[in-house]
Amino acid sequence: MNSDSPSDITCDHGPCTGAASDVEAASDVETETETAADGGTTITDPDDEAFDREAFTKVATVDEIPAGEGEGYTVKGIEIAVFNLDGDFYAISNRCAHQRAPLHKAGDRKINAEDTWTEKRGGVNVEDCTVSCPWHLWEWDLETGVHEASGKRIGSFDCVVDGEDVLVRI
Amino acid sequence: MASSVKRLDADAEVPDQAFEDHIIDMDFHVNPVEDELLAYVEDDRALDKLTTEFGATPVVGKWDAAYGIKEGQEGLFTQGRAKYAADVREACKNIAVDDPIVNPGINNLNLQHHPVLKNAVAQAANDYMLDNFVDEGVSTSMMVPKWDPDYAVEEIERVAAEDGIVAAYSWFDPKVPWGNEQFDPVFEALVEHDLPLLLHGSLAYWPQHSYIGDDMLTWTEVLGFDWPLHTMVNIVNMIMRGVFDKYPELDVVFQEGGHWWVPFLRYRMDEFYEMHPDDVKITPRKMDSGEEYLQRAPSEYLRDNIYVCTQPFALPRNAGHASDLLKLSMAEDMFIYSSDWPHQTLDPPTWFYTSNAFDDDTREAVLHENAEEILRGY
């Protein structure tokens, strides 16, 4: 499998612009060499020699997902949303557990936003590392996939930046 | 190994099949900005008061739904704000709604104090809707002022004949229930014009107007249960007081009043009525007609004359339980899909495609057939 092949992933939006490159938080997640569910290691630091690049799929370059926004992709048949939190990238299931709203639409500008108060439908919260669903504002922890109020959990995925590439392991 | 890759539609927010079905949305709110709404007020004296001190619909400073919403008052505009027909069409495109039945979503109007000023806003709202929606080909439910039945009839006679007015829109609340005989002229006018009466939860409903209200502190108590309780009270009141014996052609739709209580009403009304019906003959309409009993079992009016909007649906996750509940609730006869766009309890039509509880007949009944049965011109 060529995990960099553009045919592996599909961007859910039109052309994206913006820039971000900091991967510090994502690279802090795992340090021990263990076997992941997909057979690869759990190493998520691209600079670690044990990092298994082939276990990841490139979904975008860092400048394709603007800071504070998300994009939706299918990777190996799994819908995911990838968010850029001021340079830290997170990947989570694209479907809210409540009613299957597409989470990558969080932060979209509202119709006649100038006549509302917040202008956006849900969105990311950098400080709390969460995303609020665009339909009913269910707030999902981007690291754990947990909705605190209900205890429900959706999939979260390793997401790292290798150079300019945003990589996700399904 | 080749990956399975599927391109997602950037705009579609609901399952693909929803776009193949015909979907009518019985509760789509538009929210004119105040200046544009008040420009339609015809009475200069009313306009002066509405524009100088209080605004069109001031809010009483008590419990507020905004407390329950992470973004506060923004809950009313979680999805945006539709002012014109093009806005409505843009919103419906992503959630697969083909035919939104729009209403002037000024739901705190019923709460206001002054009947003359309220009537002025109702008149302006209807003219705003005629100009911006009816004339643009969007099916509209006209506003009916509950607080003034005489003026309600006047407005119906003034507006209802317009093509594109497909229903009438008013509110249920904890004040005077709709079974009261003062509403008979309204019912007569609605039947004459073949318009169903859509009754939406009213912001007059908030706890400040009920005896236990000040001890209700949460969104779940107030919006989740106060509205359904009063929906049940209004329905039983209308049925037992003989509204549908006098107006058998009248169809009434309750919006945001819940629906899973239907089995409770269905069986309990019949049980109580058949056990001790002796007071029905001394209700005013029966006093007039001389009838001793209702013409049918109470649950039959529920099935035939009452409809309930589905939002928020809260379908049980277990499909078997959900299927049983749909049957017990007479969903195929009573349920009508509604989104409540743009509010915080928005229901895009996902439930109908993500649960095995629905067979095709029930899905089609809820998504369009029941609405088509009662909307004028459908």
Side-chain angles (χ1 to χ4, degrees):
Chain A
M1 181 183 74
N2 177 2
S3 60
D4 285 342
S5 165
S7 65
D8 280 351
I9 55 97
T10 306
C11 178
D12 209 12
H13 278 168
C16 308
T17 58
S21 59
D22 188 354
V23 71
E24 206 169 58
S27 64
D28 284 345
V29 176
E30 296 286 355
T31 55
E32 296 180 13
T33 302
E34 295 176 355
T35 302
D38 62 3
T41 71
T42 57
I43 296 294
T44 54
D45 179 0
D47 294 330
D48 189 315
E49 62 182 18
F51 178 70
D52 183 3
R53 180 67 173 72
E54 292 302 308
F56 285 78
T57 300
K58 175 186 173 184
V59 295
T61 55
V62 291
D63 61 356
E64 289 175 336
I65 307 176
E69 296 187 16
E71 296 286 348
Y73 306 93
T74 56
V75 181
K76 302 178 183 177
I78 306 294
E79 276 191 40
I80 63 169
V82 179
F83 293 97
N84 175 352
L85 273 62
D86 290 347
D88 295 332
F89 288 78
Y90 295 88
I92 194 169
S93 167
N94 192 39
R95 293 291 164 177
C96 181
H98 172 219
Q99 214 177 328
R100 295 185 54 74
L103 291 176
H104 77 276
K105 307 273 279 190
D108 275 8
R109 186 172 168 81
K110 295 176 178 177
I111 293 173
N112 292 323
E114 65 279 11
D115 294 314
T116 69
W117 287 282
T118 63
E119 296 199 351
K120 293 182 177 180
R121 302 165 64 206
V124 296
N125 182 319
V126 175
E127 187 175 339
D128 294 342
C129 195
T130 59
V131 60
S132 295
C133 177
W135 287 358
H136 307 102
L137 308 177
W138 278 47
E139 192 167 28
W140 296 97
D141 186 305
L142 285 168
E143 288 187 303
T144 64
V146 170
H147 174 251
E148 187 177 359
S150 68
K152 291 180 178 173
R153 184 173 195 160
I154 59 177
S156 56
F157 304 92
D158 289 334
C159 182
V160 303
V161 171
D162 185 11
E164 294 298 305
D165 295 340
V166 179
L167 311 178
V168 172
R169 176 163 58 193
I170 299 298
Chain B
M1 183 182 74
S3 292
S4 166
V5 178
K6 177 187 174 192
R7 181 167 184 82
L8 299 175
D9 186 329
D11 295 325
E13 298 192 15
V14 296
D16 292 344
Q17 192 187 340
F19 292 91
E20 298 167 11
D21 291 341
H22 186 69
I23 299 179
I24 296 176
D25 176 358
M26 192 62 103
D27 186 19
F28 191 109
H29 300 291
V30 300
N31 294 92
V33 293
E34 194 163 292
D35 287 350
E36 293 184 26
L37 172 68
L38 292 178
Y40 284 87
V41 172
E42 289 183 346
D43 189 294
D44 289 340
R45 297 163 297 181
L47 182 62
D48 177 53
K49 297 300 179 188
L50 289 166
T51 53
T52 51
E53 190 168 2
F54 302 112
T57 55
V59 175
V60 177
K62 298 275 276 188
W63 182 90
D64 196 289
Y67 295 158
I69 311 298
K70 195 170 186 63
E71 295 182 352
Q73 284 287 4
E74 190 65 358
L76 290 172
F77 298 123
T78 309
Q79 302 305 308
R81 183 170 186 164
K83 299 187 291 186
Y84 314 116
D87 304 330
V88 171
R89 292 197 174 97
E90 181 182 351
C92 289
K93 181 166 53 75
N94 292 358
I95 59 173
V97 167
D98 299 287
D99 205 352
I101 311 302
V102 298
N103 57 63
I106 311 168
N107 289 331
N108 58 349
L109 185 59
N110 194 30
L111 169 68
Q112 307 305 317
H113 166 66
H114 202 293
V116 170
L117 301 186
K118 288 158 73 172
N119 285 351
V121 173
Q123 168 267 308
N126 283 329
D127 284 337
Y128 181 93
M129 298 304 287
L130 289 174
D131 269 7
N132 292 286
F133 292 94
V134 171
D135 289 352
E136 298 296 324
V138 179
S139 294
T140 299
S141 49
M142 64 166 290
M143 184 184 284
V144 170
K146 184 196 175 198
W147 52 88
D148 187 342
D150 289 340
Y151 186 62
V153 172
E154 200 176 308
E155 271 298 275
I156 293 168
E157 297 301 335
R158 186 178 75 87
V159 173
E162 296 279 348
D163 287 340
I165 295 291
V166 299
Y169 179 83
S170 195
W171 302 273
F172 60 89
D173 60 41
K175 297 176 180 175
V176 183
W178 277 92
N180 189 293
E181 292 72 21
Q182 69 176 280
F183 298 113
D184 278 6
V186 179
F187 299 148
E188 284 177 21
L190 292 173
V191 169
E192 181 187 343
H193 288 279
D194 195 25
L195 294 178
L197 177 61
L198 316 184
L199 296 177
H200 193 280
S202 164
L203 301 196
Y205 239 127
W206 290 161
Q208 56 264 39
H209 297 288
S210 72
Y211 290 113
I212 61 170
D214 279 344
D215 271 321
M216 286 190 179
L217 302 180
T218 66
W219 156 273
T220 303
E221 295 165 85
V222 180
L223 196 68
F225 293 89
D226 197 89
W227 284 17
L229 285 172
H230 287 97
T231 298
M232 286 188 271
V233 168
N234 269 269
I235 289 173
V236 177
N237 181 257
M238 294 181 83
I239 290 173
M240 299 313 300
R241 219 145 140 168
V243 168
F244 301 108
D245 281 341
K246 188 167 183 179
Y247 304 101
E249 301 302 317
L250 180 66
D251 295 310
V252 183
V253 182
F254 283 83
Q255 299 178 310
E256 294 205 56
H259 43 281
W260 295 130
W261 41 254
V262 167
F264 174 72
L265 243 66
R266 174 185 183 184
Y267 296 113
R268 192 172 174 90
M269 275 197 302
D270 287 359
E271 169 72 10
F272 273 67
Y273 169 69
E274 289 167 0
M275 187 161 46
H276 297 300
D278 210 41
D279 49 7
V280 169
K281 65 188 175 198
I282 55 168
T283 57
R285 292 187 186 87
K286 294 301 179 190
M287 290 287 285
D288 283 348
S289 69
E291 292 173 291
E292 193 166 3
Y293 301 117
L294 295 177
Q295 293 171 9
R296 310 165 70 192
S299 62
E300 292 182 43
Y301 303 100
L302 187 64
R303 183 194 293 274
D304 290 344
N305 297 91
I306 301 291
Y307 297 82
V308 286
C309 284
T310 54
Q311 161 282 328
F313 203 29
L315 189 72
R317 297 283 170 179
N318 180 300
H321 294 166
S323 178
D324 290 343
L325 198 48
L326 286 165
K327 290 185 179 70
L328 289 169
S329 301
M330 303 187 283
E332 203 168 329
D333 297 304
M334 289 184 62
F335 284 17
I336 296 178
Y337 167 71
S338 60
S339 75
D340 194 36
W341 198 99
H343 294 166
Q344 56 271 66
T345 46
L346 172 83
D347 243 2
T350 51
W351 303 101
F352 312 98
Y353 303 99
T354 55
S355 171
N356 289 328
F358 287 93
D359 56 33
D360 289 345
D361 288 345
T362 306
R363 181 187 298 110
E364 288 180 18
V366 176
L367 290 180
H368 67 97
E369 288 175 351
N370 286 341
E372 288 165 344
E373 275 184 20
I374 61 173
L375 292 169
R376 190 177 68 182
Y378 278 70

